[in-house]
Amino acid sequence: MIRKLMTAVALAGMIAATPTLAAPCKDAKGKFVKCPPVVKKTVVKNVVKGKDGKCRVASGPNKGKFTKC
């Protein structure tokens, strides 16, 4: 009983002691590299909410297509 408890405590200590990887991005060869910057999504400004509760683009090349509200 005590041996199982000591093993569990030792495993928990080893897991807590392992450092997290600062750069999780890898190149094709498997080497760690600096991650590319995160690209932000563009926000559609011309959004109109219809009578059915669904949002559509009001103007531009995507006029009338569904979009997120």
Side-chain angles (χ1 to χ4, degrees), residues 4-66:
K4 290 182 182 180
L5 179 64
M6 293 299 284
T7 304
V9 170
L11 286 174
M14 288 171 49
I15 291 172
T18 56
T20 57
L21 298 175
C25 300
K26 293 183 181 181
D27 63 359
K29 295 180 182 178
K31 292 186 177 184
F32 289 105
V33 295
K34 186 176 180 181
C35 295
V38 178
V39 178
K40 294 183 180 179
K41 293 182 179 179
T42 58
V43 178
V44 178
K45 294 181 180 179
N46 299 323
V47 177
V48 176
K49 193 167 189 177
K51 293 179 183 177
D52 56 357
K54 297 178 182 177
C55 294
R56 293 184 176 86
V57 179
S59 63
N62 295 327
K63 183 177 180 181
K65 292 189 178 183
F66 293 108

